[in-house]
Amino acid sequence: MNIIVTGGAGFIGSNFIFHMLKEHPDYRIVCLDALTYAGNLSTLEPVMSNPNFRFVKLDICDREGVYKLFEEEHPDMVVNFAAESHVDRSIENPEVFLNTNIIGTATLMDACRKYGIKRYHQVSTDEVYGDLPLDRPDLFFTEETPIHTSSPYSSSKAGADLLVLAYHRTYGLPVTISRCSNNYGPYHFPEKLIPLMIINCLHDKPLPVYGEGLNVRDWLYVEDHCRAIDLIIHNGRVGEVYNVGGHNEMKNIDIVKLICKALDKPESLITHVTDRKGHDMRYAIDPTKIHNELGWLPETKFADGIKKTIQWYLDNEDWWQPIISGEYQNYYEEMYGNR
Ligand code: NAD
Ligand code: DAU
């Protein structure tokens, strides 16, 4: 089996590559990644010398480059993680989200049509369903929940999902889609809530909570997401969408307080800042379908996963220090300077 994994130098893609090389040591994994601000080649250092692994620096919108890679590799499957993934950046600059997340997805699928493929898997998000009200804890996103997006990011992901399903219906492309809730774990880029709060705590810097911090996210340890995708690409039904989430809903403010406690930092570091525009209130996944059809269940409890994650950031300053010392400083100043 030869699998092209796009966006494999990012957070979830790199964890997926480690998972696949461990669980399927006879598979060839080709990582295609443009190495944007969010891609980090040093993350893939541990597998660079693995003879079953190849890294190719390439933009998924580069049609010529993508076709050339398919001619060289004859992949059996493509798993598309490559995306612009940060909601706040999409609010500042939507265009790159439309290019990568929509045009890039179409380009990859055109290559799959041209050269043939056993499976194209689109890594999507629960954000395509919009949000749920805080006062209706009985409501969850199922695969039948209508698409109803809030941000340019989620709209671009929803656009890609619709294209993926259209390529299945129109051209018979063998596709699957997974829509997962918020991931956390090693190699999470410091712009996102959990690593940002851990790293700020370590520097005794203010912890910028948007609004009152009552928004709810449904957190899943990244390895559990990787296992779900592994199951879907092998056993999932073509043309189907699978929601992935572990019923682990938490308010942002509670996550931040928990991180303060774990690092023995005062809650007085918490600073309430101007809310995100269009901020989704609550995400909550109903994972019944993937559980019943594929037997998937999350394995890592949040209490254990967050401990492991905090420890990982304590042990791997070499990974995140170069990131926060570079261009990230300008981003941080623009995003939080006058907030
Ligand atoms: P990330 O931002 O950490 O990584 C994205 C990767 O894609 C980077 O390595 C980047 O270099 C690469 N990339 C960006 N544009 C590219 C392009 N044009 N061509 C090739 N490579 C490009 O993202 P992540 O958090 O790992 O998310 C991966 C996927 O999972 C995304 O599609 C995202 O929408 C989805 N997702 C994320 C979460 C989450 O909680 N992080 C949850 C559900 C779904
Ligand atoms: O639900 C899946 C989605 O989860 C993925 O599709 C996205 O790619 C991923 O980035 C994530 O989106 P969120 O917007 O939920 O994640 P983020 O870490 O940016 O924010 C989590 C919550 O924390 C959100 O309610 C906003 C809030 N927040 C975030 C940051 C960065 C703060 O209060 N302060 C912050 O500084």
Side-chain angles (χ1 to χ4, degrees):
M1 189 73 79
N2 189 356
I3 305 185
I4 291 185
V5 176
T6 71
F11 166 43
I12 311 175
S14 60
N15 278 284
F16 181 73
I17 287 172
F18 299 147
H19 167 93
M20 292 301 282
L21 288 170
K22 183 162 157 253
E23 297 301 321
H24 308 280
D26 52 329
Y27 284 15
R28 177 173 170 77
I29 304 288
V30 178
C31 172
L32 179 174
D33 197 296
L35 296 180
T36 67
Y37 80 91
N40 197 334
L41 207 46
S42 78
T43 303
L44 295 171
E45 196 49 51
V47 294
M48 277 301 186
S49 56
N50 184 324
N52 286 343
F53 178 75
R54 177 184 174 198
F55 177 81
V56 180
K57 183 174 183 311
L58 189 64
D59 189 323
I60 57 168
C61 300
D62 175 352
R63 187 170 291 271
E64 218 176 288
V66 169
Y67 285 8
K68 187 166 164 278
L69 185 65
F70 272 65
E71 272 167 25
E72 283 169 22
E73 289 291 344
H74 307 286
D76 299 293
M77 293 191 188
V78 171
V79 182
N80 182 25
F81 290 90
E84 288 293 333
S85 69
H86 193 33
V87 173
D88 292 323
R89 288 187 193 251
S90 82
I91 294 167
E92 297 308 311
N93 178 19
E95 193 179 349
V96 64
F97 285 73
L98 308 185
N99 284 331
T100 289
N101 298 1
I102 302 177
I103 307 291
T105 297
T107 307
L108 288 172
M109 289 194 298
D110 284 340
C112 291
R113 286 172 55 211
K114 185 169 159 73
Y115 296 100
I117 198 94
K118 293 197 180 95
R119 180 66 62 89
Y120 173 87
H121 182 76
Q122 177 74 359
V123 181
S124 185
T125 168
D126 60 357
E127 295 201 16
V128 300
Y129 299 122
D131 63 351
L132 296 164
L134 288 182
D135 60 357
R136 289 292 307 273
D138 55 314
L139 295 181
F140 296 92
F141 296 138
T142 72
E143 289 78 2
E144 274 68 52
T145 301
I147 301 284
H148 186 80
T149 55
S150 311
S151 70
Y153 162 70
S154 55
S155 305
S156 67
K157 292 295 289 186
D161 282 16
L162 294 175
L163 264 182
V164 172
L165 295 174
Y167 271 57
H168 173 59
R169 174 153 176 170
T170 305
Y171 307 115
L173 197 72
V175 306
T176 38
I177 297 178
S178 51
R179 293 181 180 147
C180 189
S181 60
N182 286 62
N183 286 213
Y184 68 101
Y187 303 107
H188 205 177
F189 195 81
E191 69 192 349
K192 306 288 168 52
L193 179 78
I194 289 182
L196 185 144
M197 296 299 169
I198 296 173
I199 292 171
N200 280 18
C201 260
L202 292 175
H203 292 105
D204 297 306
K205 275 178 69 173
L207 307 175
V209 170
Y210 299 167
E212 291 182 71
L214 300 179
N215 308 64
V216 168
R217 297 292 182 265
D218 183 357
W219 294 94
L220 184 74
Y221 194 62
V222 63
E223 172 62 20
D224 282 325
H225 185 190
C226 296
R227 270 194 311 107
I229 295 173
D230 186 355
L231 280 171
I232 295 168
I233 61 177
H234 288 99
N235 305 325
R237 284 182 296 135
V238 161
E240 293 291 318
V241 173
Y242 292 89
N243 283 356
V244 185
H247 283 304
N248 181 58
E249 292 178 49
M250 295 192 64
K251 287 187 204 124
N252 294 339
I253 189 75
D254 293 339
I255 298 254
V256 178
K257 285 182 178 170
L258 187 154
I259 292 171
C260 287
K261 192 162 181 225
L263 290 170
D264 200 19
K265 299 289 179 179
E267 285 182 11
S268 56
L269 285 175
I270 295 173
T271 313
H272 291 273
V273 300
T274 307
D275 211 346
R276 174 184 279 174
K277 290 189 184 104
H279 200 172
D280 282 335
M281 278 319 298
R282 171 177 169 246
Y283 302 145
I285 283 278
D286 175 354
T288 306
K289 180 174 175 179
I290 189 168
H291 175 61
N292 288 349
E293 282 191 21
L294 305 178
W296 178 87
L297 275 177
E299 286 179 358
T300 302
K301 291 201 180 74
F302 187 76
D304 300 329
I306 194 72
K307 233 186 255 168
K308 277 202 276 188
T309 303
I310 292 173
Q311 194 57 49
W312 188 87
Y313 281 88
L314 287 169
D315 295 342
N316 289 277
E317 191 172 339
D318 288 359
W319 182 82
W320 52 262
Q321 190 63 49
I323 297 174
I324 64 161
S325 315
E327 175 55 29
Y328 184 78
Q329 286 184 356
N330 299 334
Y331 163 80
Y332 198 90
E333 184 49 36
E334 271 170 35
M335 194 61 74
Y336 297 96
N338 279 322
R339 196 157 184 155

